[in-house]
Amino acid sequence: MTRTIRLALAATGLAAIASLATAQAFEPQKAQELRESHMKLMGAHIGILGGMAKGEVEYDAATAAAAAETLSALASAAAAGDLYWVEGSSSDALEESRALPAIWDKTEEFESGQTKLVEAAMTMQDAAGTDLAALQGAMGALGKACGDCHETFRQPEEE
Amino acid sequence: MTRTIRLALAATGLAAIASLATAQAFEPQKAQELRESHMKLMGAHIGILGGMAKGEVEYDAATAAAAAETLSALASAAAAGDLYWVEGSSSDALEESRALPAIWDKTEEFESGQTKLVEAAMTMQDAAGTDLAALQGAMGALGKACGDCHETFRQPEEE
């Protein structure tokens, strides 16, 4: 049921993107900063899970479950209302931005990527508290959801 | 239904707090930074709603709904897995921290405050896209949830 609702939220958010042209909620610079904060939060929680998956940190069911729950809610938040991707906040427009113009050019693919992240995070949410093997099993799809989207839509870090 | 699930998530998160003594996920300094990012994100989305409520920004149903959805998911994320409030990250321990030791001393009251925020954010989620009057009607409880918790658990900003 959580799954259905999260996906419904994601779908609603996608509709919101279309409306941004007429009603931009955040100034481009602020949108860029907020996106970075949001990514940092998701990265920190994925980091906990990744550390356990790789055996760098001892597996702890409660901590893993907590990290996965927050991650899932953050992924859902990023996809839900989605006021972050305003015009004028791409890497072409802002020096600090690594958001490629493709985000605005390939909207459907971008939205599909967001949905995949929400799904992978929900799968992790179901798995993380079970045991280490389950966590490891859910890590691949989660990493792929992150990586696929970054590959297409995020500017590589400068050397 | 969303409501039930969000509240269930919040309740699960509260159980996770109890386990933090033995399994701290984030170092205190990092936890403090992540909390700040999370608060900044919630504040930015509340800011959109507050600006419309006060008539400083023209009411736009789609933007208001999007802001409220993200806010609600962020509130839920903050309460859900909740690995932020680790020992050693209070205002007594870290110079940058405004998290009063009361967070760790009055756990039940703190958890109750988190639940109230989740509830108020969900009410706003139902209201924000309806019309300006509905948004304004939901603003009071939301502001109170923020304020009550900050009053008890957050150090005032230095003069």
Side-chain angles (χ1 to χ4, degrees):
Chain A
M1 193 61 77
T2 307
R3 190 156 308 214
T4 314
I5 286 167
R6 288 262 163 90
L7 288 174
L9 281 175
T12 315
L14 307 183
I17 287 181
S19 74
L20 285 181
T22 52
Q24 290 196 358
F26 295 121
E27 294 300 312
Q29 179 74 44
K30 183 160 188 189
Q32 186 267 322
E33 288 170 15
L34 295 173
R35 292 194 305 247
E36 263 190 32
S37 292
H38 206 118
M39 290 286 173
K40 185 171 95 172
L41 290 175
M42 288 204 287
H45 288 88
I46 291 171
I48 292 176
L49 300 164
M52 290 184 193
K54 286 186 257 176
E56 293 168 3
V57 177
E58 198 176 346
Y59 174 74
D60 176 83
T63 304
E69 282 197 13
T70 303
L71 173 65
S72 182
L74 285 168
S76 153
D82 214 333
L83 299 172
Y84 291 146
W85 312 99
V86 298
E87 298 280 345
S89 68
S90 78
S91 55
D92 278 2
L94 296 176
E95 198 179 345
E96 312 76 19
S97 176
R98 293 171 65 196
L100 291 174
I103 290 168
W104 292 266
D105 296 340
K106 301 178 180 177
T107 315
E108 270 185 43
E109 189 180 337
F110 182 66
E111 292 169 357
S112 155
Q114 288 190 306
T115 304
K116 277 181 192 156
L117 175 65
V118 172
E119 287 171 340
M122 288 185 313
T123 303
M124 177 58 87
Q125 193 182 347
D126 291 342
T130 306
D131 56 32
L132 180 57
L135 184 156
Q136 288 169 328
M139 204 70 212
L142 186 57
K144 186 169 163 30
C146 296
D148 281 356
C149 207
H150 288 162
E151 193 174 342
T152 312
F153 296 110
R154 187 176 68 168
Q155 196 172 58
E157 216 147 5
E158 286 177 18
E159 305 275 306
Chain B
M1 192 64 78
T2 307
R3 191 157 306 217
T4 314
I5 287 167
R6 289 264 162 90
L7 288 173
L9 280 176
T12 315
L14 307 183
I17 287 182
S19 74
L20 286 181
T22 52
Q24 290 196 355
F26 296 121
E27 294 299 314
Q29 179 76 45
K30 183 161 188 188
Q32 186 267 323
E33 288 169 17
L34 295 173
R35 292 193 306 246
E36 263 190 31
S37 292
H38 206 118
M39 290 286 172
K40 185 171 93 171
L41 289 175
M42 289 203 288
H45 289 86
I46 290 170
I48 292 176
L49 300 164
M52 291 184 192
K54 284 185 257 176
E56 292 167 2
V57 177
E58 198 177 347
Y59 174 74
D60 176 84
T63 304
E69 283 198 11
T70 303
L71 172 66
S72 181
L74 284 168
S76 152
D82 214 334
L83 299 172
Y84 293 146
W85 311 99
V86 299
E87 297 280 345
S89 68
S90 78
S91 55
D92 278 2
L94 296 175
E95 197 179 344
E96 312 76 18
S97 176
R98 293 170 65 197
L100 292 174
I103 290 168
W104 293 265
D105 296 340
K106 301 178 180 177
T107 314
E108 270 184 43
E109 188 180 338
F110 182 65
E111 293 169 356
S112 155
Q114 288 190 306
T115 304
K116 277 180 192 155
L117 175 65
V118 172
E119 287 171 342
M122 288 186 313
T123 302
M124 177 58 86
Q125 193 181 347
D126 291 341
T130 307
D131 57 32
L132 180 56
L135 185 156
Q136 287 169 328
M139 204 68 212
L142 186 57
K144 186 169 163 31
C146 296
D148 281 357
C149 207
H150 288 162
E151 193 175 342
T152 312
F153 296 111
R154 186 176 69 169
Q155 196 172 58
E157 214 145 7
E158 285 177 20
E159 305 275 305

